[in-house]
Amino acid sequence: MAALLQLKEVTKAFGSLRVLDALDLEVDKGEIRGLIGPNGAGKTTLFNVIAGALRGDHGVITLDGSEITHFGSANRCRRGLARTFQVPKLFVGMTVLENAEVAALFGNPGHQSRSEAVARARWALNLAGIGELAGAKASVLTTGQRKMLELARAIATGAKLLLLDEVMAGLNPTELQHACDSLRALQTTGFTILMVEHVMQALMSLSHRVSVLFSGKIIMTDVPERVACDPRVIEAYLGKARGVA
Amino acid sequence: MKLKSALIQITIATVLAALVPLVIHSEYALHVAVLALIFAVLAASWNLVSGYGGMFTFGHQAFFGLGAYVSALLAMHLGISTYLSIMIGTVFAMVAGVVICLPVLRLRGAPYIAIATLAFAEIVKLIADNLTSLTHGESGLAGIPPLSPIGAMTFSIADSRPYYYCALVLLAVTMVLVAAVLASPIGLAFGAIRDSQDAAESIGVDVTKYKVLLFMLSSALAGMAGGLFAHYVTVLTPSSILGIDVMVQIIAMALIGGLGTLFGPVVGAIILTVGLELLRSLGDYQLMLYGALLVIIIIVLPRGLSSLPMLIASAATKQPSLRGESWKHPIKQREP
Amino acid sequence: MALLELTGVEAGYAGVQVLWGVDLELREREIVALLGANGAGKTTVLRTISGIVKPWRGGISLQEQHLDGLSPREIVSRGVIHVPEGRHVFPRMSVVDNLRAGAYTERAWSHQRETLEDVYGLFPRLYERRSQFAGTLSGGEQQMLAIGRGLMARPKCLMIDEPSLGLAPKLVDAVLDLVIRIRDLGCTVLLVEQNAQRALEVAERAYVMEHGRILFAGASAAVAGDPAIRQAYLGL
Amino acid sequence: MHGFNIAQLLVDGVVAGSMYALMASGISLIWGTMRMLNFAHGEFYMIGGYTLFFALVALKVHPVIAVGLGLLMTFILGVVVERLIMRWLLLRAEWEMPTLVATLGLSVFMQNFALRTFGAGDLGLPYVVPGVFRVAGVVLPGQRIAIVLVAIVAFAAVWSILRYTKFGIAIRATSQDRDTAVLMGIDFPKVYMLTFGISVALAALAATMLAPIYSVNPWMGQRPMLKAFIVVVFGGLGSLEGAVLGGMALGIIESVGVAVVSSEWQDVIAFAILILVLWIRPQGLFGAKES
């Protein structure tokens, strides 16, 4: 299967601190890939570098075969890569539908009419399970609904690859269930998903494969069951007992 | 707001406003009305960048003054039609808007944008002050020709009525333009940029392009208002149209009506111009009132009069404030 | 006797509830670890104790006196000190000024000379670097400084949030050794740690949090052997 | 030569620069600590000028006491303004724009209040320090020497307060990381109040020194404040050293610039450079500190 997203030796340093250290990563078309790692491993930086909010110091990023290393985030989005934010950044002055509509209008390189954009926005809201909120003001949404609106906005851009940054954090159990269902539905619809998530049950049950980021490198990529049992991962998360090392 | 209902409201308001001169015969009252309309255009144009674009500029008077001076000078020295000169003045203001927009694009944080735009306005004012051979500096540019006649309608300093209609048309056109832009995809892009620049970029909005567009539109409208102003009052001094006081008035008008609302700045302009004129007995205390009003509004009614109904409603239903938020020691991320 | 006690604390931010009835107890002169995955609510517990977040319900008491409802300043002056995650030293202040800032309360300020000597005794490295800007220190040194700054307030209870974050393994050892020495000086320590294994080695007791609730509590040895902890971290 | 004496120009530049630096350091201190820009700084300067005038002319007190009264009056006014107006705005989630608007409104209010109360006329004052010294062809009026000395003393005082006192540590800690300062038990509202008071008192100090040279009127604060904005942008907002360096640089450039550009165009160039600096280095020329 061909890789949709490919990172080669991507490096990013803040001052003397190398947050990403010649990192390689490939995400295949159509998969749900989980990205885990302990606090401070560099997950958010990696996301920002992939999405274009930060530029890497080094390395090459390709999306669907074409290089996007030097593109800004708006341009990357129009090429099929959309993200959500850990703390939702909604357009609070607009309705839910308008939030998704902007994404449909501007995320897509092809010209489209207003009604097409609205239709696509509604479709995205339905996929994210918040279709019935279309007319509501974005400012009145609950945390869970905000997260889902971020997801819907990413979908509405028509992106092939969704970067989801902790979409499940702060959701209650019902919302969590809905979110999991939505993501599965998205995957069967043909989206590729790369997700950072701290709600481990959800991540482990959704992901086809999980990549583990530790001190700026991907230390392993495998199916969830094997990742969770791998001593390196347990060590990265729980730490190493003294004297064992 | 839906475009259709906005257009209907604008039409009704314009028609009603058109009847005003039939009721009011006092030349003085009409004069105040013309000023109110011109300031309404100015406040509405500033509302575009600040209220809809989220960029709080402090130099909008520069575009107003540029439009006024360029148009006045062209009409005086080249003898061209005042409408042509106003158009050229508008283009000047628009170009100036693009010029100041470029550094502003790189700035995040209201104080930096405020300083940069204020410095720009000061430059324009100083130029008007210093080019005495052209502008006569602070002693003022006098003898600006009134608007050229349109068919049978002639303009003179003695009669405010034709100017009233002229200003009303300009305001109506401005409002329709603003409403149409806001209802279009461009308006959605503006809103997205204002609410979250990061998110706007992440969904493919070309932030630079739309910010420049916003500045162009806003400065052009301000320039056009300036042109009309110049040919109405026929005397210009740098401090009367390029001073910080003008900016204070614009901000007060937009704020009192409600930033980021379609009619707010217009309502604010009318209330403040007419209201303060009614308090004429206060005479020179006007500017003091403007200053005090700004402070009071920003503390008590930061969203302007337009938020008043909402505030009353929420006070009546006694909505609890957000729990867990300690107002005494709020901990927020405050990075510039 | 309990030094610090939380009973049924519920709290959150801007209408979003994070803590759902947290009970927690610290006794005099002990180290207690507070464990759990990211986003479990550990930091919020500390912020609620230190008064930055006001509890919605439940009580917090220090030696049977109410702490909830007090301002962060009053809580600090009663001797409950929060060393924040990510160190947060004042980067453009010298090391010694950072330490003096820690002694801001009246009581601590009048004793600052002695305390400063004690802190330099614990952290000789800080003494060597005392006139350097804190921003120029290494990550490990900054962590030492953050803890030292907390000690300058002469705390009864020191709450340390993620001291090992971003530190090399050797430094993690050094920091955790210090935690023991601080306890031996008579201070109670509440340790929030990502590095659970290591935290359990130094702590007498531990609480494991998940989704804003205490999932499990007990002696360190019991917690270390319990599968619940792996579930809390890795979701299995 | 052409009638320009370089030494004289430099000395004049240092005199003007030390006053710009005083104004700018107040604006910078407020910015650094409270993260707000004070558009009314020039009006506090004006209050200092008027207080000095009335203390000297009406109360006929000793000049040193008059200057002291000017500082005290402005400090108290600053504290009151912070407590009554700024406090509410600074505690809001969205504080950047509202504080700008409030200080702008305050500026217009105070200016026009002065205009109504004291009239539009220029009030002249005798030099507080009489006498003129001549050194190697450089003319040095006593007042100007006093200005530089006072500025040096003021900076030394502010620097020492920031460096050595408990309150100074609280200011620095608050400005570098307010949320962490709270964890030390630092009462930041109090820090805000006193910082604002001290900062505007610095402006008043500049006014009491310059009033005898430039006269007192309701608009006297406008130019110095705009100049101070240029300085803080050059020096980097929030940096005291930057304010001093930037102030001196602007004073000397202006003074020497007279030899090159006629004086009425100097400000145009200064503002243009300001925009250029913001464009190229949004953090200011010397202000590399904030990442």
Side-chain angles (χ1 to χ4, degrees):
Chain A
M1 204 185 275
L4 180 62
L5 176 75
Q6 194 173 43
L7 277 76
K8 271 215 173 95
E9 297 187 2
V10 169
T11 301
K12 175 78 192 171
F14 295 111
S16 60
L17 187 68
R18 276 197 161 197
V19 182
L20 302 180
D21 191 3
L23 176 144
D24 293 319
L25 177 70
E26 280 190 14
V27 179
D28 290 343
K29 260 189 193 128
E31 75 168 327
I32 298 184
R33 170 72 63 87
L35 179 67
I36 66 171
N39 227 343
K43 287 169 300 196
T44 304
T45 307
L46 177 58
F47 251 53
N48 282 333
V49 167
I50 297 176
L54 284 175
R55 296 296 159 83
D57 305 328
H58 254 291
V60 178
I61 306 173
T62 48
L63 180 71
D64 214 1
S66 51
E67 189 180 333
I68 57 166
T69 317
H70 302 291
F71 290 174
S73 46
N75 212 341
R76 288 186 197 197
C77 173
R78 289 194 289 266
R79 299 212 168 220
L81 186 159
R83 71 164 311 173
T84 68
F85 293 91
Q86 202 173 339
V87 177
K89 296 188 175 183
L90 300 184
F91 306 133
V92 288
M94 302 183 188
T95 64
V96 168
L97 181 64
E98 280 168 340
N99 265 271
E101 194 187 336
V102 195
L105 273 169
F106 292 94
N108 212 311
H111 185 75
Q112 55 183 338
S113 74
R114 198 72 187 265
S115 56
E116 278 165 352
V118 172
R120 187 208 287 276
R122 283 193 188 283
W123 167 75
L125 291 177
N126 286 331
L127 267 179
I130 49 169
E132 73 280 8
L133 292 170
K137 278 263 175 212
S139 54
V140 305
L141 300 188
T142 65
T143 315
Q145 292 164 341
R146 280 166 189 258
K147 296 272 184 179
M148 287 306 108
L149 178 51
E150 282 248 312
L151 177 62
R153 216 166 51 183
I155 298 168
T157 62
K160 295 167 275 200
L161 174 65
L162 305 179
L163 301 177
L164 307 185
D165 195 353
E166 296 199 30
V167 276
M168 310 217 180
L171 303 195
N172 65 36
T174 338
E175 290 171 333
L176 208 58
Q177 194 52 50
H178 276 299
C180 285
D181 294 344
S182 300
L183 292 195
R184 277 203 194 88
L186 283 174
Q187 190 261 330
T188 46
T189 321
F191 284 94
T192 306
I193 294 171
L194 174 62
M195 60 192 290
V196 166
E197 194 53 68
H198 283 123
V199 182
M200 283 294 172
Q201 293 95 322
L203 181 115
M204 292 291 185
S205 70
L206 278 172
S207 306
H208 298 121
R209 288 190 296 165
V210 175
S211 294
V212 185
L213 182 64
F214 187 57
S215 54
K217 281 188 192 302
I218 299 289
I219 57 169
M220 78 176 296
T221 297
D222 210 330
V223 293
E225 297 76 28
R226 278 210 285 276
V227 165
C229 296
D230 193 283
R232 285 172 296 171
V233 177
I234 293 172
E235 189 190 307
Y237 263 84
L238 298 181
K240 207 187 299 178
R242 184 179 292 197
V244 176
Chain B
M1 200 184 306
K2 285 273 170 292
L3 180 58
K4 210 170 175 186
S5 70
L7 289 180
I8 291 171
Q9 290 176 31
I10 293 169
T11 313
I12 294 172
T14 309
V15 169
L16 286 178
L19 300 176
V20 167
L22 304 181
V23 188
I24 297 174
H25 297 286
S26 149
E27 176 63 24
Y28 167 70
L30 272 178
H31 168 70
V32 174
V34 175
L35 292 182
L37 292 177
I38 292 176
F39 264 97
V41 175
L42 197 53
S45 69
W46 183 68
N47 182 40
L48 267 178
V49 241
S50 60
Y52 290 110
M55 289 170 288
F56 217 77
T57 67
F58 268 36
H60 207 62
Q61 71 271 33
F63 311 121
F64 183 62
L66 265 175
Y69 265 104
V70 169
S71 178
L73 288 171
L74 285 176
M76 286 169 77
H77 294 291
L78 301 182
I80 56 174
S81 154
T82 53
Y83 303 103
L84 181 60
S85 70
I86 291 176
M87 286 325 293
I88 299 174
T90 305
V91 172
F92 254 82
M94 192 166 76
V95 172
V98 175
V99 169
I100 188 56
C101 174
L102 295 177
V104 167
L105 279 177
R106 283 174 51 99
L107 300 174
R108 286 211 184 177
Y112 292 97
I113 293 178
I115 290 186
T117 48
L118 180 64
F120 172 73
E122 278 300 301
I123 290 176
V124 175
K125 178 169 184 286
L126 286 167
I127 291 174
D129 269 333
N130 293 342
L131 280 182
T132 41
S133 57
L134 209 56
T135 63
H136 304 292
E138 200 42 61
S139 51
L141 190 64
I144 300 164
L147 284 181
S148 317
I150 308 173
M153 188 155 72
T154 55
F155 293 86
S156 81
I157 310 167
D159 187 8
S160 290
R161 191 152 314 181
Y163 279 104
Y164 180 87
Y165 287 108
C166 216
L168 185 60
V169 169
L170 178 60
L171 179 59
V173 169
T174 301
M175 296 304 286
V176 169
L177 193 65
V178 171
V181 166
L182 289 178
S184 75
I186 301 172
L188 281 178
F190 289 167
I193 292 169
R194 176 192 57 187
D195 288 345
S196 169
Q197 189 166 322
D198 291 336
E201 270 184 319
S202 83
I203 57 162
V205 176
D206 187 340
V207 170
T208 304
K209 178 173 129 191
Y210 286 100
K211 277 190 173 176
V212 174
L213 192 66
L214 199 56
F215 258 89
M216 282 171 69
L217 192 60
S218 163
S219 52
L221 285 171
M224 205 182 279
L228 179 59
F229 182 80
H231 297 289
Y232 173 58
V233 296
T234 70
V235 180
L236 293 177
T237 64
S239 56
S240 72
I241 59 163
L242 284 165
I244 298 177
D245 297 345
V246 178
M247 192 63 231
V248 171
Q249 292 183 33
I250 298 171
I251 297 176
M253 287 164 179
L255 273 180
I256 199 173
L259 263 187
T261 61
L262 185 58
F263 289 101
V266 177
V267 173
I270 293 168
I271 289 178
L272 279 187
T273 319
V274 176
L276 289 178
E277 212 54 51
L278 290 177
L279 300 172
R280 189 88 189 150
S281 54
L282 292 172
D284 298 328
Y285 286 91
Q286 274 202 8
L287 271 169
M288 216 165 112
L289 260 174
Y290 266 114
L293 259 178
L294 265 190
V295 177
I296 294 166
I297 295 167
I298 203 72
I299 291 177
V300 184
L301 268 182
R303 301 260 165 254
L305 288 176
S306 64
S307 66
L308 206 50
M310 240 159 54
L311 273 179
I312 293 169
S314 75
T317 54
K318 281 226 165 108
Q319 280 192 348
S321 56
L322 292 174
R323 289 186 308 167
E325 274 190 317
S326 54
W327 60 272
K328 256 172 142 177
H329 299 277
I331 301 298
K332 298 171 295 249
Q333 215 46 50
R334 319 169 123 242
E335 277 313 305
Chain C
M1 190 188 92
L3 177 76
L4 185 78
E5 197 169 7
L6 274 70
T7 41
V9 169
E10 297 186 13
Y13 308 93
V16 181
Q17 187 158 357
V18 179
L19 302 183
W20 302 78
V22 170
D23 297 316
L24 195 139
E25 185 189 297
L26 301 183
R27 298 174 204 139
E28 301 258 8
R29 289 169 169 258
E30 70 170 348
I31 300 174
V32 171
L34 184 57
L35 309 173
N38 244 333
K42 296 167 302 200
T43 298
T44 307
V45 170
L46 299 199
R47 291 168 73 92
T48 310
I49 297 173
S50 58
I52 294 166
V53 174
K54 298 274 175 252
W56 298 355
R57 257 186 293 280
I60 305 171
S61 60
L62 178 77
Q63 290 170 324
E64 290 171 0
Q65 290 196 310
H66 275 286
L67 277 191
D68 43 289
L70 297 187
S71 71
R73 199 164 69 90
E74 290 163 312
I75 292 171
V76 168
S77 66
R78 302 215 175 170
V80 178
I81 308 299
H82 177 173
V83 177
E85 178 186 343
R87 313 188 255 279
H88 286 280
V89 296
F90 302 114
R92 279 166 283 125
M93 275 163 70
S94 64
V95 167
V96 60
D97 283 353
N98 263 275
L99 292 172
R100 293 173 77 204
Y104 188 75
T105 57
E106 293 299 333
R107 191 172 57 94
W109 189 261
S110 56
H111 292 96
Q112 59 164 303
R113 274 177 202 287
E114 303 109 83
T115 329
L116 200 56
E117 272 176 31
D118 292 346
V119 169
Y120 282 150
L122 271 176
F123 308 94
R125 204 50 180 279
L126 294 183
Y127 181 71
E128 288 164 26
R129 314 236 147 161
R130 62 190 179 281
S131 48
Q132 229 171 290
F133 269 172
T136 64
L137 300 184
S138 73
E141 290 164 342
Q142 289 191 9
Q143 186 60 57
M144 306 278 180
L145 178 56
I147 296 174
R149 190 178 57 184
L151 289 174
M152 286 299 292
R154 303 173 78 90
K156 290 187 185 113
C157 170
L158 192 66
M159 309 186 289
I160 313 178
D161 198 352
E162 302 272 12
S164 73
L165 190 67
L167 295 188
K170 237 169 129 182
L171 284 167
V172 176
D173 289 347
V175 166
L176 292 177
D177 283 345
L178 270 164
V179 170
I180 297 176
R181 291 184 61 191
I182 290 167
R183 187 264 322 269
D184 294 344
L185 289 172
C187 181
T188 301
V189 179
L190 177 59
L191 183 66
V192 167
E193 250 305 340
Q194 177 108 157
N195 194 330
Q197 299 281 13
R198 218 32 94 64
L200 288 170
E201 284 174 11
V202 300
E204 275 98 40
R205 293 187 301 121
Y207 290 82
V208 181
M209 285 189 79
E210 196 182 34
H211 301 318
R213 292 180 176 84
I214 300 289
L215 187 74
F216 189 85
S220 293
V223 172
D226 198 287
I229 181 169
R230 248 182 79 196
Q231 187 205 326
Y233 274 82
L234 287 170
L236 285 177
Chain D
M1 270 187 25
H2 308 86
F4 289 114
N5 177 338
I6 283 295
Q8 179 76 54
L9 292 178
L10 280 176
V11 169
D12 289 349
V14 169
V15 173
S18 57
M19 291 299 106
Y20 292 156
L22 269 186
M23 279 296 274
S25 57
I27 289 173
S28 220
L29 207 55
I30 291 176
W31 166 264
T33 313
M34 306 160 79
R35 290 281 179 272
M36 59 168 270
L37 194 60
N38 182 18
F39 264 107
H41 214 71
E43 279 57 48
F44 287 100
Y45 172 96
M46 170 199 77
I47 299 289
Y50 274 106
T51 314
L52 178 78
F53 179 85
F54 287 112
L56 282 180
V57 174
L59 302 178
K60 299 204 176 11
V61 295
H62 187 271
V64 174
I65 297 174
V67 170
L69 277 176
L71 294 193
L72 186 68
M73 181 77 186
T74 318
F75 175 81
I76 292 171
L77 199 65
V79 165
V80 170
V81 161
E82 198 284 333
R83 188 68 191 79
L84 291 184
I85 300 173
M86 299 309 151
R87 177 73 52 91
W88 307 109
L89 302 173
L90 284 165
L91 292 186
R92 288 187 188 156
E94 214 177 77
W95 83 99
E96 275 193 323
M97 183 278 273
T99 49
L100 280 176
V101 171
T103 55
L104 186 68
L106 193 65
S107 148
V108 172
F109 177 82
M110 286 166 78
Q111 225 177 76
N112 287 281
F113 180 83
L115 176 64
R116 288 297 93 214
T117 319
F118 310 124
D122 285 330
L123 306 177
L125 274 174
Y127 276 22
V128 177
V129 183
V132 174
F133 303 86
R134 277 172 217 281
V135 183
V138 177
V139 183
L140 285 173
Q143 179 79 20
R144 291 181 190 256
I145 296 174
I147 285 176
V148 178
L149 291 179
V150 164
I152 291 171
V153 170
F155 280 118
V158 170
W159 190 81
S160 311
I161 289 176
L162 287 178
R163 186 92 172 74
Y164 297 113
T165 67
K166 190 177 173 191
F167 175 62
I169 284 183
I171 291 188
R172 282 189 289 152
T174 306
S175 70
Q176 291 183 24
D177 190 337
R178 190 186 80 177
D179 298 358
T180 306
V182 171
L183 297 179
M184 317 283 109
I186 292 170
D187 184 6
F188 73 83
K190 196 171 109 195
V191 170
Y192 280 3
M193 201 165 78
L194 295 177
T195 305
F196 199 87
I198 291 174
S199 301
V200 297
L202 285 177
L205 182 62
T208 55
M209 291 293 110
L210 290 178
I213 300 178
Y214 293 122
S215 84
V216 174
N217 65 54
W219 306 277
M220 65 189 284
Q222 287 260 293
R223 280 287 119 185
M225 187 188 68
L226 288 173
K227 289 287 167 62
F229 279 165
I230 297 176
V231 171
V232 291
V233 168
F234 283 180
L237 271 167
S239 149
L240 194 66
E241 298 89 337
V244 175
L245 282 175
M248 288 298 165
L250 183 67
I252 292 170
I253 289 168
E254 273 190 359
S255 170
V256 176
V258 178
V260 189
V261 189
S262 68
S263 60
E264 68 263 32
W265 292 104
Q266 272 176 30
D267 287 357
V268 175
I269 293 165
F271 285 123
I273 294 174
L274 165 106
I275 293 175
L276 215 62
V277 168
L278 275 177
W279 192 349
I280 298 161
R281 270 180 79 86
Q283 70 277 40
L285 277 185
F286 309 116
K289 285 164 186 166
E290 280 184 77
S291 55

